Amino acid sequence: MPPTPPTPVPPSTERPDTRHPELDRYASEALVHAFVDDQFEAVRAVQAAAPALARAVEAALPRIQAGGRLLYVGAGTSGRLGLLDSVELYPTFSWPPERAKALLAGGPPALYRAVEGAEDDADMGARDLHSLKPTPQDVVLCIAASGATPYVMGALHAAKAIGSLTLGFANNEGAPVAEQADVGVTLNTGPEVISGSTRLKAGTAQKIALNTFSSSLMVKLHKVYGNLMVDVKATNAKLRRRSVALTVTATGRSEAEATAAVDAADGSVKCAILMLRHGLDAHSAAQALARVDGSLRKALGE
């Protein structure tokens, strides 16, 4: 009689959390504490992955400086988090939307509800990536809590064949998406309070990791002066007020002077700061920034 094959060991994100076998019996306060306290594991997982995130930033920087794009790929929660990170780069850093694209298994309808079978289609992942016409300068962020989602793996293999830089984000050790990417980022968050619900701390860890990666990259690209987000795009009244406040902070000038400078610079905080600090007009300030790849610190001679 042939031996019985071993039972496959589920990934850690799919295993029941042994700390909470009676979760459905908890009083409300204990229930809330169970969810909130477990989120600290997400922070610890990203802290452990910090060296890998730093490698990802260093590997991505020259490609992006050469004109490459950030292309995010994911399914379900992972895909929605990738999309969120991509769209927030424009208002925060004036990063061109055409240089931050996100692919979600199942397309736009999957933003609101699961599209049956979409995440299991590796060929679709490859096709969707090819639709963006990737180049070797592009950076492809492949995000999967399990680390083996076929849609994401299909996009990963297609990106590697083209020569794009691939970054693999997973929440399980030894996951294919992290091991086969050029730089793997493993966010080992372990079992969820609700077994398998990776929208919980696994999703939180992904959000932190993606924020950390993209924000670090933007700092390296001179989108920040000190710790001021001086490339903010004032797309609403709140961000317009922030633009003026940033200019006041960086120059020590009055709100009225800062407002006038921001208006004259067509909303550019960098130009407004340079105008007030060096007595330049808006055109001259823009030219000075262009000569130093947008580095306000260099334009100020610091």
Side-chain angles (χ1 to χ4, degrees):
M1 184 174 179
T4 303
T7 302
V9 177
S12 64
T13 51
E14 302 295 329
R15 297 174 200 161
D17 189 334
T18 57
R19 297 171 300 171
H20 303 289
E22 301 290 321
L23 186 73
D24 62 339
R25 295 177 180 270
Y26 286 11
S28 295
E29 186 171 349
L31 188 61
V32 168
H33 273 295
F35 285 117
V36 172
D37 293 349
D38 203 45
Q39 292 292 333
F40 287 102
E41 297 299 324
V43 177
R44 284 189 276 270
V46 181
Q47 287 176 325
L53 284 167
R55 289 195 298 273
V57 171
E58 290 300 312
L61 184 60
R63 307 242 187 170
I64 298 301
Q65 288 173 324
R69 298 171 296 170
L70 295 169
L71 306 179
Y72 299 73
V73 184
T77 298
S78 298
R80 296 182 190 103
L81 289 170
L83 176 63
L84 178 62
D85 201 67
S86 73
V87 300
E88 288 182 342
L89 296 179
Y90 176 67
T92 309
F93 301 110
S94 294
W95 188 249
E98 63 272 16
R99 293 186 67 189
K101 297 289 186 180
L103 295 174
L104 175 61
L111 277 171
Y112 307 102
R113 65 183 65 186
V115 176
E116 186 175 357
E119 72 172 55
D120 299 322
D121 194 333
D123 290 339
M124 184 184 293
R127 288 195 302 271
D128 284 355
L129 185 76
H130 282 301
S131 73
L132 297 179
K133 297 180 172 58
T135 73
Q137 283 72 47
D138 290 334
V139 177
V140 182
L141 294 86
C142 303
I143 316 156
S146 69
T149 305
Y151 178 87
V152 177
M153 294 305 298
L156 171 67
H157 293 149
K160 286 181 71 70
I162 290 161
S164 302
L165 177 70
T166 54
L167 310 179
F169 295 79
N171 291 88
N172 288 290
E173 290 184 336
V177 75
E179 292 198 335
Q180 296 178 30
D182 295 307
V183 181
V185 180
T186 299
L187 308 166
N188 188 16
T189 44
E192 299 285 359
V193 171
I194 297 176
S195 178
S197 182
T198 51
R199 65 182 286 269
L200 298 173
K201 67 182 171 190
T204 301
Q206 289 178 357
K207 177 70 163 63
I208 298 171
L210 293 172
N211 277 178
T212 299
F213 168 78
S214 61
S215 297
S216 297
L217 189 61
M218 293 298 138
V219 171
K220 292 282 189 178
L221 292 168
H222 313 306
K223 299 290 184 179
V224 173
Y225 172 65
N227 66 346
L228 305 179
M229 58 177 202
V230 291
D231 248 340
V232 60
K233 180 65 67 175
T235 56
N236 55 43
K238 176 191 73 175
L239 292 178
R240 175 174 164 70
R241 291 192 297 271
R242 186 174 299 168
S243 297
V244 172
L246 288 165
T247 304
V248 169
T249 299
T251 62
R253 304 289 280 271
S254 70
E255 183 176 333
E257 291 172 302
T259 300
V262 169
D263 287 344
D266 196 25
S268 170
V269 175
K270 283 182 176 178
C271 282
I273 292 170
L274 199 52
M275 290 162 63
L276 292 173
R277 294 267 296 266
H278 280 193
L280 302 175
D281 59 37
H283 179 69
S284 299
Q287 286 186 319
L289 284 165
R291 287 194 292 269
V292 290
D293 295 323
S295 171
L296 178 59
R297 191 173 292 281
K298 287 182 180 178
L300 290 168
E302 298 178 352

